Amino acid sequence: MMFSKESIPFAPSLIESMRSLGYSFESAIADIVDNSISANANKIDIKVSLGNKPYVIIFDNGCGMNKSELEEAMRYGSKNPLEKRAETDLGRFGLGLKSASLSQCRKLIVVSKKDGQISCYSWDLDYIIKNASWSMIGYTNQEVKLFPEIEMFNDVETGTYVLLEQFDRIEESTNDLHKTLTNKIDSMINHLSLVFHRFLERKVEISVNNKKIDGRDPFLSYHKGTQIKRSQNVNINGFNIVVKPYILPHLNKLTLKDIEKVGSKESLRNEQGFYIYRNERLIIWGTWFRLERKDELSKLARVMVDIPSDLDYMWNIDIKKSSANLPDIIKRNLYNCVIEAVGGSEAVHTYRGRKTKSTDINHIWERIEVRDNCYEYRVNRDIPQLKILEASLNLKQIKYLNEVITQLEEGFPITSLYVDVAKGKVVEQSAEDEERIEELYTQVKEQVEYAKENGMDYKVIAKAFISTEPYCNYNNIINKIKGVYEIE
Ligand SMILES: Nc1ncnc2c1ncn2[C@@H]1O[C@H](COP(=O)(O)OP(=O)(O)OP(=O)(O)O)[C@@H](O)[C@H]1O
Ligand SMILES: [Mg+2]
């Protein structure tokens, strides 16, 4: 007979493992701030104290919790990820408060005020280990009064106070808690000002040690040189995704302050691409998901993408809310917008009379201007993979190879590609998985070895490979080849 036997997780080990989800300090704090925003707070005070016993407090004037609500909130898995949430709720897993806090420290204390009552519970790793059970510590109002800066509650009717103490992880990894926490304050401010910029621009005030932080608008939409492209709606399973491309103004139209706003000159190059928001909170940014190359051509383009949390199930959002995989159907739909955005970005460069083609990458297809503003696409015959192939062929075979390539160029189905791209029907073909990357690496290696065996200048060839498509798209391949053939 089948029977049922309850198997309760062993608290000390499970909680210890949950600490290793991979939160950074700033992403942990952002996860706690998510809760404050979901609780409708419009004022969030973060206090970092570096004294004898360093602590971090996240205090908000949100809706607060009564005793039983707080008990529920403290429970691991307090809400089911499949449950439908309010449109403004940034939560999903019922884990963030606990897992984010305890990823950084050994003790989490939450005090909340609602209906004139103050309630307080704590998860303390040492207490859990001692009791070998899922036991929280509860505190009386008398005891709560002794917590640092608890008087912040005097000014609010409702609100929540999250206190983090005993930063063992940071201490272990750097041996200098004080210095590390000091540095982390800056990166935390940077992170919060970006991921919550849309809240900061409107209704929410976040301050760190009493200093208000400004929202960092990655689109510089206030700048009159920024081109805001037509926004488009993409309907996925009945829900609307809004896509809005921005072309940032040319670098030398930007003041130092503007550049600071987008991060740095470096970030202008590296953080182009999609900015994906879930309920207005930035989740992933600065990537084209391999739809477009990160090169000079598109460096000023950034595309705002708003996805409602109803579509969470489609994009494998992780507990930290810091990564997610967009499904192909959404990527395909974003493709149109990339073309529009990149097209505009290119225009900004051309207008300045600059060469639009980036010179440091060998593209397999070259765009060649045949007459004024008229282009032809041709296979680049200088790519190293063709050179190696030619080296292995006799003259007659080389002639045939060239004939075939010319026919491929002439037979290129421009019209149908154009129509398909416009309809968002072009399937992305670049390699995503490790197996394919490994395969590509083996290809380069084999070809360079061939060059070496046949007395060709293999170092020059290896160098050419790592700046040629598709190999140049993978840092892994580039680094391995550089290592193996000792090239710069
Ligand atoms: N600052 C707060 N104010 C009011 N309620 C809160 C606050 N922080 C947490 N809660 C309550 O506690 C619950 C649990 O929070 P927790 O962060 O652990 O999970 P979540 O936000 O539901 O989901 P996720 O794991 O995705 O963050 C929340 O759903 C909310 O009801
Ligand atoms: Mg949460």
Side-chain angles (χ1 to χ4, degrees), residues 223-304:
H223 196 289
K224 56 182 190 310
T226 299
Q227 302 170 39
I228 306 176
K229 299 279 174 173
R230 191 170 50 86
S231 74
Q232 299 180 37
N233 292 310
V234 178
N235 189 292
I236 305 280
N237 296 354
F239 295 100
N240 221 14
I241 295 181
V242 184
V243 184
K244 194 170 183 182
Y246 290 80
I247 311 297
L248 303 194
H250 198 271
L251 249 179
N252 58 11
K253 289 218 181 96
L254 298 177
T255 62
L256 273 181
K257 214 161 173 210
D258 294 330
I259 290 174
E260 211 175 274
K261 279 246 163 200
V262 278
S264 59
K265 278 189 187 172
E266 256 307 279
S267 87
L268 268 178
R269 179 181 169 78
N270 295 332
E271 289 169 12
Q272 48 161 301
F274 293 111
Y275 281 67
I276 312 268
Y277 295 79
R278 172 180 178 270
N279 292 357
E280 305 211 303
R281 195 267 215 210
L282 184 58
I283 305 277
I284 331 170
W285 62 93
T287 169
W288 287 124
F289 299 114
R290 307 241 168 96
L291 289 175
E292 183 49 47
R293 296 176 316 269
K294 277 195 183 190
D295 60 15
E296 290 294 313
L297 207 64
S298 48
K299 83 172 171 193
L300 303 173
R302 296 177 173 206
V303 184
M304 181 193 262

Coordinates of all heavy atoms in Angstrom, one line a residue, residues 223-304:
H223 N 17.1 65.0 -22.2 CA 18.0 65.7 -23.1 C 17.4 66.0 -24.4 O 16.8 65.1 -25.0 CB 19.3 64.8 -23.2 CG 20.5 65.6 -23.7 ND1 20.6 66.0 -25.0 CD2 21.6 65.9 -23.1 CE1 21.7 66.6 -25.2 NE2 22.4 66.6 -24.0
K224 N 17.6 67.2 -24.9 CA 16.8 67.5 -26.2 C 17.5 66.8 -27.4 O 16.9 66.7 -28.4 CB 16.6 69.0 -26.4 CG 17.9 69.9 -26.4 CD 17.4 71.3 -26.6 CE 18.6 72.3 -26.8 NZ 19.7 72.2 -25.9
G225 N 18.7 66.4 -27.2 CA 19.3 65.6 -28.3 C 18.9 64.2 -28.4 O 19.3 63.5 -29.4
T226 N 18.2 63.7 -27.4 CA 17.8 62.3 -27.5 C 16.6 62.1 -28.4 O 15.7 62.9 -28.4 CB 17.4 61.8 -26.0 OG1 18.5 62.0 -25.2 CG2 16.9 60.4 -26.0
Q227 N 16.8 61.1 -29.3 CA 15.6 60.9 -30.2 C 14.8 59.7 -29.6 O 15.3 58.7 -29.3 CB 16.1 60.4 -31.6 CG 17.1 61.3 -32.3 CD 17.7 60.6 -33.5 OE1 17.0 59.9 -34.2 NE2 18.9 60.9 -33.7
I228 N 13.6 60.0 -29.4 CA 12.7 59.0 -28.9 C 11.9 58.4 -30.0 O 11.2 59.2 -30.7 CB 11.7 59.6 -27.8 CG1 12.5 60.3 -26.7 CG2 10.9 58.5 -27.2 CD1 11.7 61.0 -25.7
K229 N 12.1 57.2 -30.3 CA 11.4 56.6 -31.5 C 10.0 56.1 -31.1 O 9.7 56.0 -29.9 CB 12.2 55.3 -31.9 CG 13.6 55.7 -32.4 CD 13.6 56.2 -33.8 CE 14.9 56.7 -34.2 NZ 15.0 57.1 -35.6
R230 N 9.2 55.9 -32.1 CA 7.8 55.5 -31.9 C 7.8 54.2 -31.0 O 8.5 53.3 -31.3 CB 7.2 55.2 -33.3 CG 5.8 55.0 -33.3 CD 5.3 55.0 -34.8 NE 6.1 54.0 -35.6 CZ 5.8 52.8 -35.7 NH1 4.8 52.2 -35.1 NH2 6.6 52.0 -36.4
S231 N 6.9 54.2 -30.0 CA 6.9 53.0 -29.2 C 5.9 52.0 -29.9 O 5.0 52.4 -30.7 CB 6.4 53.3 -27.8 OG 5.1 53.6 -27.8
Q232 N 6.2 50.7 -29.7 CA 5.4 49.7 -30.4 C 4.9 48.7 -29.3 O 5.5 48.5 -28.3 CB 6.3 48.9 -31.3 CG 6.8 49.8 -32.4 CD 7.7 49.1 -33.4 OE1 7.4 47.9 -33.7 NE2 8.8 49.7 -33.8
N233 N 3.7 48.2 -29.6 CA 3.1 47.2 -28.7 C 3.2 45.9 -29.3 O 2.9 45.7 -30.4 CB 1.6 47.5 -28.4 CG 1.5 48.8 -27.7 OD1 2.1 49.0 -26.6 ND2 0.6 49.7 -28.2
V234 N 3.7 45.0 -28.5 CA 3.8 43.6 -28.9 C 2.8 42.8 -28.0 O 3.0 42.8 -26.8 CB 5.2 43.1 -28.8 CG1 5.3 41.6 -29.2 CG2 6.2 43.9 -29.5
N235 N 1.9 42.1 -28.7 CA 1.0 41.3 -27.9 C 1.4 39.9 -27.7 O 1.6 39.2 -28.7 CB -0.4 41.4 -28.5 CG -1.5 40.8 -27.6 OD1 -1.5 39.6 -27.4 ND2 -2.3 41.7 -27.1
I236 N 1.6 39.5 -26.5 CA 2.0 38.1 -26.3 C 1.0 37.4 -25.4 O 0.8 37.8 -24.2 CB 3.4 38.0 -25.5 CG1 4.5 38.8 -26.3 CG2 3.8 36.5 -25.3 CD1 5.1 38.1 -27.5
N237 N 0.4 36.4 -25.9 CA -0.7 35.7 -25.1 C -1.7 36.6 -24.4 O -2.0 36.4 -23.2 CB 0.0 34.7 -24.1 CG 0.8 33.7 -24.8 OD1 0.7 33.5 -26.0 ND2 1.5 32.9 -24.0
G238 N -2.1 37.6 -25.1 CA -3.1 38.5 -24.5 C -2.5 39.6 -23.6 O -3.2 40.4 -23.1
F239 N -1.2 39.6 -23.4 CA -0.6 40.7 -22.6 C 0.3 41.6 -23.5 O 0.9 41.1 -24.4 CB 0.2 40.1 -21.4 CG -0.7 39.4 -20.5 CD1 -0.8 38.0 -20.5 CD2 -1.5 40.1 -19.5 CE1 -1.6 37.3 -19.6 CE2 -2.3 39.4 -18.7 CZ -2.3 38.0 -18.7
N240 N 0.3 42.9 -23.1 CA 1.0 43.8 -23.9 C 2.5 44.1 -23.4 O 2.7 44.4 -22.3 CB 0.2 45.1 -23.7 CG 0.1 45.8 -25.1 OD1 0.4 45.2 -26.1 ND2 -0.2 47.1 -25.1
I241 N 3.4 44.0 -24.4 CA 4.8 44.4 -24.1 C 5.0 45.7 -24.8 O 4.7 45.8 -26.0 CB 5.8 43.3 -24.5 CG1 5.5 42.0 -23.7 CG2 7.2 43.8 -24.4 CD1 6.5 40.9 -24.1
V242 N 5.5 46.7 -24.2 CA 5.7 48.0 -24.8 C 7.2 48.2 -25.1 O 8.0 48.0 -24.2 CB 5.2 49.1 -24.0 CG1 5.3 50.5 -24.7 CG2 3.7 48.9 -23.6
V243 N 7.5 48.5 -26.3 CA 8.9 48.6 -26.7 C 9.2 50.0 -27.2 O 8.5 50.5 -28.1 CB 9.2 47.6 -27.9 CG1 10.7 47.6 -28.2 CG2 8.8 46.2 -27.5
K244 N 10.1 50.7 -26.6 CA 10.4 52.0 -27.0 C 11.9 52.3 -27.2 O 12.6 52.4 -26.2 CB 9.8 52.9 -25.9 CG 9.6 54.4 -26.3 CD 8.9 55.0 -25.1 CE 8.6 56.5 -25.4 NZ 7.8 57.0 -24.3
P245 N 12.3 52.5 -28.5 CA 13.7 52.7 -28.7 C 14.1 54.2 -28.5 O 13.3 55.1 -28.8 CB 13.9 52.4 -30.2 CG 12.6 51.7 -30.6 CD 11.6 52.2 -29.7
Y246 N 15.3 54.4 -28.0 CA 15.8 55.7 -27.8 C 17.2 55.8 -28.5 O 18.0 54.8 -28.4 CB 16.1 56.0 -26.3 CG 14.9 56.2 -25.5 CD1 14.2 55.1 -25.0 CD2 14.4 57.5 -25.1 CE1 13.0 55.2 -24.2 CE2 13.3 57.6 -24.3 CZ 12.6 56.5 -23.9 OH 11.5 56.7 -23.1
I247 N 17.5 56.9 -29.1 CA 18.9 57.1 -29.6 C 19.5 58.2 -28.8 O 19.0 59.3 -28.8 CB 18.9 57.5 -31.1 CG1 18.0 56.5 -31.9 CG2 20.3 57.5 -31.6 CD1 18.4 55.1 -32.0
L248 N 20.5 57.9 -28.1 CA 21.1 58.9 -27.3 C 21.8 60.0 -28.2 O 22.3 59.6 -29.3 CB 22.1 58.3 -26.3 CG 21.6 57.2 -25.3 CD1 22.6 57.0 -24.2 CD2 20.3 57.6 -24.7
P249 N 22.0 61.2 -27.7 CA 22.7 62.2 -28.5 C 24.2 61.8 -28.6 O 24.7 61.0 -27.9 CB 22.6 63.5 -27.6 CG 21.9 63.1 -26.4 CD 21.5 61.7 -26.4
H250 N 24.8 62.4 -29.6 CA 26.2 62.1 -29.9 C 27.0 62.5 -28.7 O 26.7 63.5 -28.0 CB 26.7 62.8 -31.1 CG 27.9 62.3 -31.6 ND1 29.2 62.7 -31.2 CD2 28.1 61.2 -32.5 CE1 30.1 61.9 -31.8 NE2 29.5 61.1 -32.6
L251 N 28.1 61.7 -28.4 CA 28.9 61.9 -27.2 C 29.3 63.3 -27.0 O 29.2 63.8 -25.8 CB 30.2 61.1 -27.4 CG 30.4 59.9 -26.5 CD1 31.7 59.1 -26.8 CD2 30.3 60.3 -25.0
N252 N 29.7 64.1 -28.0 CA 30.2 65.4 -27.7 C 29.1 66.5 -27.5 O 29.4 67.6 -27.4 CB 31.4 65.9 -28.6 CG 30.9 65.8 -30.0 OD1 29.7 65.7 -30.3 ND2 31.9 66.0 -31.0
K253 N 27.9 66.0 -27.6 CA 26.8 66.9 -27.2 C 26.5 66.7 -25.7 O 25.6 67.4 -25.2 CB 25.5 66.6 -28.0 CG 25.6 67.0 -29.5 CD 24.3 67.5 -30.0 CE 24.3 67.9 -31.4 NZ 23.8 66.8 -32.3
L254 N 27.2 65.8 -25.1 CA 26.9 65.5 -23.7 C 27.8 66.2 -22.8 O 29.0 66.2 -23.0 CB 27.0 63.9 -23.5 CG 26.0 63.1 -24.3 CD1 26.3 61.6 -24.0 CD2 24.5 63.4 -23.9
T255 N 27.3 66.7 -21.7 CA 28.2 67.3 -20.7 C 28.7 66.2 -19.8 O 28.1 65.1 -19.8 CB 27.4 68.3 -19.8 OG1 26.3 67.6 -19.2 CG2 26.7 69.4 -20.7
L256 N 29.6 66.5 -19.0 CA 30.2 65.5 -18.1 C 29.1 65.0 -17.2 O 29.0 63.8 -16.9 CB 31.2 66.2 -17.2 CG 32.6 66.2 -17.7 CD1 33.6 66.8 -16.8 CD2 33.1 64.7 -18.1
K257 N 28.1 65.9 -16.8 CA 27.0 65.5 -16.0 C 26.1 64.5 -16.7 O 25.7 63.5 -16.1 CB 26.3 66.7 -15.6 CG 25.7 66.5 -14.2 CD 25.3 67.8 -13.5 CE 24.7 67.4 -12.2 NZ 23.7 68.2 -11.8
D258 N 25.9 64.7 -18.0 CA 25.0 63.8 -18.7 C 25.7 62.4 -18.8 O 25.0 61.4 -18.6 CB 24.9 64.2 -20.2 CG 24.1 65.5 -20.3 OD1 23.2 65.8 -19.4 OD2 24.4 66.3 -21.2
I259 N 27.0 62.4 -19.0 CA 27.7 61.1 -19.1 C 27.7 60.4 -17.8 O 27.5 59.2 -17.8 CB 29.2 61.4 -19.6 CG1 29.2 61.9 -21.0 CG2 30.0 60.1 -19.5 CD1 30.5 62.3 -21.6
E260 N 27.8 61.2 -16.7 CA 27.7 60.6 -15.4 C 26.3 59.9 -15.2 O 26.2 58.9 -14.6 CB 27.9 61.7 -14.4 CG 28.5 61.2 -13.1 CD 28.7 62.5 -12.2 OE1 29.8 63.1 -12.4 OE2 27.8 62.8 -11.4
K261 N 25.3 60.6 -15.8 CA 24.0 60.1 -15.7 C 23.8 58.7 -16.3 O 23.1 57.8 -15.8 CB 23.0 61.0 -16.4 CG 22.6 62.2 -15.5 CD 21.1 62.1 -15.2 CE 20.8 63.0 -14.0 NZ 19.6 62.6 -13.3
V262 N 24.5 58.5 -17.4 CA 24.4 57.2 -18.1 C 25.4 56.2 -17.5 O 25.5 55.1 -18.0 CB 24.5 57.2 -19.6 CG1 23.1 57.6 -20.2 CG2 25.6 58.1 -20.1
G263 N 26.2 56.7 -16.6 CA 27.3 55.8 -16.0 C 28.6 56.4 -16.4 O 29.2 57.1 -15.6
S264 N 29.1 56.1 -17.6 CA 30.4 56.6 -18.0 C 30.5 56.4 -19.5 O 29.6 55.8 -20.2 CB 31.5 55.7 -17.4 OG 31.3 54.4 -17.8
K265 N 31.5 56.9 -20.1 CA 31.7 56.7 -21.6 C 31.7 55.2 -21.9 O 31.2 54.7 -22.9 CB 33.0 57.3 -22.0 CG 32.9 58.8 -22.3 CD 34.2 59.3 -22.9 CE 34.0 60.8 -23.0 NZ 35.3 61.5 -23.4
E266 N 32.4 54.5 -21.0 CA 32.5 53.0 -21.1 C 31.1 52.4 -21.2 O 30.8 51.6 -22.1 CB 33.1 52.4 -19.9 CG 34.6 52.0 -20.1 CD 34.7 51.1 -21.2 OE1 34.5 49.9 -21.0 OE2 35.1 51.5 -22.3
S267 N 30.2 52.9 -20.3 CA 28.9 52.2 -20.3 C 28.1 52.6 -21.5 O 27.1 51.9 -21.9 CB 28.2 52.6 -19.0 OG 27.4 53.8 -19.1
L268 N 28.4 53.7 -22.1 CA 27.7 54.1 -23.4 C 27.9 53.0 -24.4 O 27.0 52.6 -25.2 CB 28.2 55.4 -23.9 CG 27.5 56.6 -23.5 CD1 28.2 57.8 -24.1 CD2 26.1 56.6 -23.9
R269 N 29.1 52.4 -24.4 CA 29.4 51.4 -25.3 C 28.9 50.0 -24.9 O 28.3 49.3 -25.6 CB 30.9 51.3 -25.6 CG 31.3 50.2 -26.5 CD 32.8 50.1 -26.7 NE 33.1 48.8 -27.4 CZ 32.9 48.7 -28.7 NH1 32.5 49.7 -29.5 NH2 33.1 47.5 -29.3
N270 N 29.1 49.8 -23.6 CA 28.8 48.4 -23.1 C 27.3 48.2 -22.7 O 26.9 47.1 -22.5 CB 29.7 48.1 -21.9 CG 31.1 48.0 -22.3 OD1 31.4 47.7 -23.5 ND2 32.0 48.3 -21.4
E271 N 26.6 49.3 -22.4 CA 25.3 49.1 -21.9 C 24.2 49.6 -22.9 O 23.2 50.1 -22.5 CB 25.2 49.8 -20.5 CG 25.9 49.1 -19.5 CD 26.1 49.8 -18.2 OE1 25.4 50.8 -17.9 OE2 26.9 49.3 -17.4
Q272 N 24.6 49.4 -24.1 CA 23.5 49.6 -25.2 C 22.7 48.4 -25.2 O 23.0 47.3 -24.6 CB 24.2 49.8 -26.5 CG 25.3 48.7 -26.7 CD 25.6 48.6 -28.2 OE1 24.8 48.3 -29.0 NE2 26.9 48.8 -28.5
G273 N 21.5 48.5 -25.8 CA 20.7 47.3 -26.0 C 19.4 47.5 -25.3 O 18.9 48.6 -25.0
F274 N 18.8 46.3 -24.9 CA 17.5 46.4 -24.3 C 17.6 46.7 -22.8 O 18.6 46.3 -22.1 CB 16.8 45.0 -24.4 CG 16.5 44.7 -25.8 CD1 17.2 43.7 -26.5 CD2 15.5 45.4 -26.5 CE1 16.8 43.4 -27.8 CE2 15.2 45.1 -27.8 CZ 15.9 44.1 -28.5
Y275 N 16.6 47.4 -22.3 CA 16.5 47.7 -20.9 C 15.1 47.1 -20.5 O 14.1 47.6 -21.0 CB 16.5 49.2 -20.6 CG 17.9 49.7 -20.6 CD1 18.7 49.7 -21.7 CD2 18.5 50.0 -19.3 CE1 20.1 50.1 -21.7 CE2 19.9 50.4 -19.3 CZ 20.6 50.4 -20.4 OH 21.9 50.8 -20.4
I276 N 15.1 45.9 -19.9 CA 13.9 45.2 -19.6 C 13.3 45.5 -18.3 O 14.0 45.3 -17.2 CB 14.2 43.7 -19.8 CG1 14.9 43.4 -21.0 CG2 12.8 42.9 -19.7 CD1 14.2 43.1 -22.2
Y277 N 12.1 46.0 -18.2 CA 11.5 46.3 -17.0 C 10.3 45.4 -16.7 O 9.5 45.1 -17.6 CB 10.9 47.8 -17.0 CG 11.9 48.8 -17.2 CD1 12.5 49.1 -18.4 CD2 12.3 49.6 -16.1 CE1 13.5 50.1 -18.6 CE2 13.3 50.6 -16.2 CZ 13.9 50.8 -17.5 OH 14.8 51.8 -17.6
R278 N 10.2 45.0 -15.4 CA 9.1 44.2 -15.0 C 8.4 45.1 -14.0 O 9.0 45.5 -13.0 CB 9.6 42.9 -14.3 CG 8.5 42.1 -13.6 CD 9.2 40.9 -13.0 NE 8.3 40.1 -12.3 CZ 8.0 40.2 -11.0 NH1 8.5 41.2 -10.3 NH2 7.1 39.4 -10.4
N279 N 7.1 45.4 -14.3 CA 6.4 46.3 -13.5 C 7.2 47.6 -13.1 O 7.3 48.1 -12.0 CB 5.9 45.7 -12.2 CG 4.8 44.6 -12.4 OD1 4.4 44.4 -13.6 ND2 4.4 44.0 -11.4
E280 N 7.9 48.1 -14.1 CA 8.7 49.3 -14.1 C 10.0 49.2 -13.3 O 10.7 50.2 -13.2 CB 7.8 50.5 -13.5 CG 6.5 50.7 -14.2 CD 6.1 52.2 -14.1 OE1 6.0 52.7 -13.0 OE2 6.0 52.8 -15.2
R281 N 10.3 48.0 -12.8 CA 11.5 47.9 -12.1 C 12.5 47.2 -13.1 O 12.2 46.2 -13.7 CB 11.3 46.9 -10.9 CG 12.4 46.9 -9.9 CD 13.3 45.8 -10.1 NE 13.8 45.3 -8.9 CZ 14.9 44.7 -8.7 NH1 15.8 44.6 -9.7 NH2 15.3 44.2 -7.5
L282 N 13.7 47.8 -13.2 CA 14.7 47.3 -14.2 C 15.3 46.0 -13.8 O 15.7 45.9 -12.7 CB 15.8 48.4 -14.4 CG 16.8 48.1 -15.4 CD1 16.2 47.9 -16.8 CD2 17.9 49.2 -15.5
I283 N 15.2 45.0 -14.7 CA 15.7 43.7 -14.3 C 17.0 43.4 -15.1 O 18.0 43.0 -14.5 CB 14.7 42.6 -14.7 CG1 13.3 42.9 -14.1 CG2 15.2 41.2 -14.4 CD1 13.1 42.4 -12.7
I284 N 17.0 43.5 -16.4 CA 18.2 43.2 -17.2 C 18.5 44.4 -18.1 O 17.5 45.0 -18.6 CB 18.0 42.0 -18.1 CG1 17.0 41.0 -17.6 CG2 19.3 41.3 -18.4 CD1 16.6 40.0 -18.7
W285 N 19.7 44.7 -18.3 CA 20.0 45.8 -19.2 C 21.3 45.7 -19.9 O 22.1 44.9 -19.5 CB 20.0 47.2 -18.5 CG 21.0 47.3 -17.4 CD1 22.2 47.9 -17.5 CD2 20.8 46.9 -16.0 NE1 22.8 47.9 -16.3 CE2 22.0 47.3 -15.4 CE3 19.8 46.3 -15.3 CZ2 22.3 47.1 -14.0 CZ3 20.1 46.1 -13.9 CH2 21.2 46.5 -13.3
G286 N 21.4 46.4 -21.1 CA 22.6 46.5 -21.8 C 22.9 45.2 -22.6 O 24.1 44.8 -22.7
T287 N 21.9 44.6 -23.1 CA 22.2 43.4 -23.9 C 21.3 43.4 -25.1 O 20.1 43.9 -25.1 CB 21.9 42.1 -23.1 OG1 21.9 41.0 -24.0 CG2 20.6 42.1 -22.4
W288 N 21.8 42.9 -26.2 CA 21.0 42.7 -27.4 C 20.5 41.3 -27.6 O 19.9 40.9 -28.6 CB 21.7 43.1 -28.7 CG 22.0 44.6 -28.9 CD1 23.2 45.2 -29.1 CD2 21.0 45.6 -29.1 NE1 23.1 46.5 -29.3 CE2 21.7 46.8 -29.3 CE3 19.6 45.7 -28.9 CZ2 21.1 48.1 -29.4 CZ3 19.0 46.9 -29.1 CH2 19.7 48.1 -29.3
F289 N 20.7 40.5 -26.5 CA 20.4 39.1 -26.6 C 20.9 38.5 -27.9 O 20.3 37.7 -28.6 CB 18.9 38.8 -26.5 CG 18.3 39.3 -25.3 CD1 17.4 40.4 -25.3 CD2 18.6 38.7 -24.1 CE1 16.8 40.8 -24.1 CE2 18.1 39.1 -22.9 CZ 17.2 40.2 -22.9
R290 N 22.1 38.9 -28.3 CA 22.7 38.3 -29.5 C 21.9 38.7 -30.8 O 22.2 38.1 -31.9 CB 22.9 36.8 -29.5 CG 23.6 36.4 -28.2 CD 24.9 35.6 -28.6 NE 25.7 35.4 -27.5 CZ 25.7 34.3 -26.8 NH1 24.9 33.3 -27.1 NH2 26.5 34.2 -25.7
L291 N 21.0 39.6 -30.7 CA 20.3 39.9 -31.9 C 21.1 40.9 -32.8 O 21.0 40.9 -34.0 CB 19.0 40.7 -31.6 CG 17.9 39.8 -31.0 CD1 16.7 40.7 -30.6 CD2 17.4 38.7 -31.9
E292 N 22.0 41.6 -32.1 CA 22.7 42.6 -32.9 C 24.1 42.7 -32.2 O 24.3 42.4 -31.1 CB 21.9 44.0 -32.7 CG 22.5 45.2 -33.4 CD 22.8 44.9 -34.8 OE1 21.9 44.4 -35.5 OE2 23.8 45.3 -35.3
R293 N 25.1 43.1 -33.0 CA 26.4 43.1 -32.4 C 26.6 44.4 -31.6 O 26.0 45.4 -31.9 CB 27.5 43.2 -33.5 CG 27.5 41.9 -34.4 CD 28.5 42.2 -35.5 NE 28.4 43.5 -36.1 CZ 27.6 43.8 -37.1 NH1 26.9 42.8 -37.7 NH2 27.5 45.0 -37.6
K294 N 27.4 44.2 -30.5 CA 27.7 45.4 -29.8 C 28.8 46.1 -30.4 O 30.0 45.8 -30.1 CB 28.1 45.0 -28.4 CG 27.1 44.7 -27.4 CD 27.7 44.7 -26.0 CE 26.6 44.3 -25.0 NZ 27.0 44.5 -23.6
D295 N 28.6 46.9 -31.4 CA 29.8 47.6 -31.9 C 29.5 49.1 -32.1 O 28.4 49.6 -31.6 CB 30.2 47.0 -33.3 CG 29.1 47.1 -34.3 OD1 28.1 47.8 -34.1 OD2 29.2 46.4 -35.3
E296 N 30.4 49.8 -32.6 CA 30.3 51.2 -32.7 C 29.0 51.7 -33.3 O 28.4 52.7 -32.9 CB 31.4 51.7 -33.6 CG 32.8 51.6 -33.0 CD 32.9 52.5 -31.8 OE1 32.5 53.7 -31.9 OE2 33.4 52.0 -30.7
L297 N 28.5 50.9 -34.3 CA 27.3 51.3 -35.0 C 26.1 51.6 -34.2 O 25.4 52.5 -34.4 CB 27.0 50.1 -36.0 CG 26.3 50.5 -37.2 CD1 27.2 51.4 -38.1 CD2 26.0 49.2 -38.0
S298 N 25.9 50.7 -33.2 CA 24.7 50.8 -32.4 C 24.9 51.3 -31.0 O 24.1 51.2 -30.2 CB 24.0 49.5 -32.4 OG 24.9 48.5 -32.0
K299 N 26.1 52.0 -30.8 CA 26.4 52.3 -29.4 C 25.5 53.3 -28.7 O 25.5 53.4 -27.5 CB 27.9 52.6 -29.3 CG 28.2 54.1 -29.6 CD 29.6 54.3 -29.2 CE 30.1 55.6 -29.6 NZ 31.5 55.8 -29.6
L300 N 24.8 54.0 -29.5 CA 23.9 55.0 -28.8 C 22.5 54.6 -28.7 O 21.6 55.3 -28.2 CB 24.0 56.3 -29.6 CG 25.4 56.9 -29.7 CD1 25.4 58.1 -30.6 CD2 26.0 57.2 -28.4
A301 N 22.2 53.3 -29.0 CA 20.8 52.9 -29.0 C 20.5 52.1 -27.7 O 21.2 51.2 -27.3 CB 20.5 52.0 -30.2
R302 N 19.4 52.5 -27.2 CA 18.9 51.8 -26.0 C 17.4 51.6 -26.1 O 16.7 52.5 -26.6 CB 19.2 52.5 -24.7 CG 20.7 52.7 -24.5 CD 21.1 53.5 -23.3 NE 22.5 53.4 -23.1 CZ 23.1 53.6 -21.9 NH1 22.4 53.8 -20.8 NH2 24.4 53.5 -21.8
V303 N 16.9 50.4 -25.8 CA 15.5 50.2 -26.1 C 14.8 49.8 -24.8 O 15.2 48.8 -24.1 CB 15.3 49.0 -27.1 CG1 13.9 48.8 -27.4 CG2 16.2 49.2 -28.4
M304 N 13.8 50.6 -24.4 CA 13.0 50.3 -23.2 C 12.0 49.3 -23.5 O 11.2 49.4 -24.4 CB 12.4 51.6 -22.7 CG 11.6 51.5 -21.4 SD 10.6 52.9 -21.2 CE 11.6 53.8 -20.0

